[in-house]
Amino acid sequence: MIQENVSLKPFNSFGLNASARLFGAFHSINELRNALVNRPHETPLLILGGGSNILFTGNFDGLVLKNELKGIEILSEDEHNIIVRVMAGENWHQFVMHCIDRGWGGVENLSLIPGTVGAAPMQNIGAYGVEIKEVFSSLEALEIDSGEIRTFNNEECQFGYRESIFKKSAKGKFIILSVTLRLSKSPHFNISYGAIQETLDKMNVTDLSLRAVSDAVIAIRQSKLPDPDKIGNAGSFFKNPTIDKIDFEGLRAEFPSIPGYKLPHDLMKVPAAWLIEQAGWKGKTFGEIGVHKNQPLVLVNYGDGHGNDLKELAFKIKDSVAEKFGIELTPEVNII
Ligand code: FAD
Ligand code: EPU
């Protein structure tokens, strides 16, 4: 059922007090189709998952449809692998726990990422050395204009670092309904990300397990990132930028402590958190909003902040980093 003038505060992890002119939830594909067919002509549409990667800069003058499609189904399995279809409205972290409980490996490094399964391919969620594309098989999506359901395989999704076709040429055209993943019954553990091994050692783990890796990832995340239930935030506000190796060498001559990670094709990834900290923003507060004290890549709403002020702060940060280092930061968060 569609309601009018609904507060979005409970539905966005920044805890911003925006409202939607029209709001409804869909629990089935039929409900979704009905809501689309009956929406007033030319009304802007926003599909909402957990609202953990969205910045509402003001009220949304359109229809917000919250995804409540639920269900997890095993499509096939053999002694090594299991193919699982997950409906898009399932909570991502709960799904990860479901997998760990059953000994299905592949998503344990992605523990505690907030949001829904359906939003996960949007930006190819990633953490601690793993991205969803590594276990992704396909997804089903409803094309908004035609009402047809289309399947996208891994290649068709055009995954990249925090990227997919759904943020580029297919932006705003599809509603992801379900995601199919290929998980492993004989997991290969990915603990190459330094902090994981260190945390496992501190936890005195000698026998590696999916649960142990997940617990280590959760412990690291909880020590670094603010809990959105306590301090409003949307995780990393910007992506980590990629620059040419030659430009990196130039910067290193001027800023000898600049960190960088080698990528193929003579490229380097530079941590945006370092750039923002060096530009003097770490821990700064401006009334109700600010830059987190432990992780400067995370912008925060302490309670009653406004989305537009957060956007302005983000752009000031972007400008100052561009001025100091000549590096352009790109927002990861979807600014609405
Ligand atoms: P929403 O915020 O609801 O939506 C995000 C975008 O996707 C919007 O444009 C929305 O319209 C669109 N969308 C959502 N669902 C659908 C659908 N079914 N069909 C079509 N479009 C859709 N991300 C990482 O990659 N790695 C991390 O480690 C990580 N850590 C985080 C930590 C914190 C504390 C927070 C708050 C966020 C973090 N994020 C991280 C970002 C966020 O969790 C992910 O981007 C997540 O996938 C967002 O899911 P959501 O359901 O909340 O999406
Ligand atoms: N750093 C600083 N100062 C700080 C904090 C960090 O200089 O106060 C520098 C350090 O050099 C540190 C580096 O930044 O080594 C990286 O920091 P961190 O390990 O915290 O990771 P990140 O690059 O900031 C990325 C993702 C996270 C993901 C983690 C773990 C992006 C944009 N962010 O953060 O994803 O959880 O790695 O893999 O790629 C998200 O996308 O929302 C998100 C939280």
Side-chain angles (χ1 to χ4, degrees):
M1 203 187 54
I2 304 296
Q3 295 169 280
E4 287 183 34
N5 298 322
V6 172
S7 168
L8 296 169
K9 194 174 165 82
F11 304 121
N12 75 99
S13 63
F14 263 124
L16 293 165
N17 205 1
S19 66
R21 180 157 64 82
L22 300 167
F23 181 92
F26 56 98
H27 303 79
S28 67
I29 296 170
N30 264 349
E31 275 184 17
L32 171 61
R33 282 209 160 105
N34 281 337
L36 291 177
V37 168
N38 294 320
R39 78 184 194 275
H41 187 57
E42 296 203 336
T43 303
L45 177 68
L46 177 74
I47 304 302
L48 191 63
S52 51
N53 208 19
I54 280 189
L55 172 65
F56 288 111
T57 54
N59 295 336
F60 186 73
D61 188 18
L63 172 63
V64 173
L65 288 178
K66 185 165 180 340
N67 184 346
E68 295 288 354
L69 298 174
K70 303 284 180 184
I72 301 175
E73 187 190 355
I74 297 174
L75 296 187
S76 67
E77 63 184 305
D78 60 25
E79 59 180 303
H80 302 295
N81 292 300
I82 183 147
I83 312 287
V84 193
R85 178 163 58 205
V86 196
M87 297 308 287
E90 288 284 345
N91 174 276
W92 174 262
H93 177 68
Q94 280 169 17
F95 168 66
V96 172
M97 293 296 107
H98 180 95
C99 296
I100 290 171
D101 288 345
R102 285 158 183 78
W104 306 340
V107 286
E108 57 283 357
N109 292 48
L110 304 176
S111 295
L112 213 63
I113 297 182
T116 53
V117 167
M122 293 290 300
Q123 68 159 12
N124 178 27
I125 55 166
Y128 299 97
V130 172
E131 292 179 328
I132 193 177
K133 75 168 188 205
E134 288 155 52
V135 292
F136 180 95
S137 174
S138 64
L139 63 76
E140 285 187 318
L142 183 85
E143 189 171 22
I144 295 171
D145 278 354
S146 67
E148 277 170 26
I149 295 179
R150 242 193 85 179
T151 303
F152 289 78
N153 66 22
N154 195 314
E155 200 184 322
E156 287 165 332
C157 288
Q158 298 176 15
F159 290 126
Y161 163 62
R162 300 294 191 271
E163 273 301 346
S164 76
I165 190 171
F166 303 102
K167 289 181 78 178
K168 296 183 286 190
S169 60
K171 191 174 169 156
K173 294 185 180 159
F174 290 91
I175 300 171
I176 297 172
L177 304 172
S178 70
V179 177
T180 299
L181 303 177
R182 181 190 184 84
L183 301 170
S184 168
K185 291 186 183 172
S186 36
H188 131 89
F189 300 106
N190 188 334
I191 54 166
S192 53
Y193 213 91
I196 299 187
Q197 183 62 64
E198 218 175 278
T199 309
L200 289 166
D201 291 345
K202 272 193 217 146
M203 291 162 63
N204 293 321
V205 171
T206 43
D207 279 343
L208 266 188
S209 65
L210 297 175
R211 175 89 50 206
V213 174
S214 167
D215 285 348
V217 167
I218 290 173
I220 302 166
R221 295 182 68 94
Q222 286 175 335
S223 72
K224 289 193 170 191
L225 292 164
D227 176 354
D229 286 341
K230 298 188 181 122
I231 303 178
N233 76 90
S236 303
F237 197 91
F238 298 100
K239 297 188 203 181
N240 286 324
T242 297
I243 61 174
D244 286 337
K245 192 163 171 254
I246 193 156
D247 294 332
F248 181 80
E249 297 305 343
L251 281 169
R252 195 158 58 182
E254 202 180 336
F255 306 99
S257 64
I258 187 170
Y261 306 95
K262 274 195 189 137
L263 297 176
H265 313 297
D266 277 344
L267 294 170
M268 298 290 288
K269 187 171 275 191
V270 181
W274 187 89
L275 299 169
I276 297 170
E277 178 171 356
Q278 298 302 310
W281 294 99
K282 185 170 176 169
K284 286 269 161 67
T285 55
F286 306 90
E288 289 286 315
I289 62 168
V291 179
H292 194 253
K293 62 178 175 20
N294 300 334
Q295 198 0 318
L297 191 44
V298 178
L299 303 190
V300 292
N301 171 24
Y302 290 107
D304 226 2
H306 287 276
N308 224 9
D309 295 339
L310 276 163
K311 182 181 167 191
E312 271 180 28
L313 173 60
F315 280 85
K316 280 186 192 153
I317 292 172
K318 182 177 156 70
D319 288 348
S320 73
V321 166
E323 199 179 319
K324 190 171 169 83
F325 299 103
I327 295 179
E328 286 296 328
L329 294 181
T330 312
E332 175 191 303
V333 171
N334 298 278
I335 301 175
I336 309 285

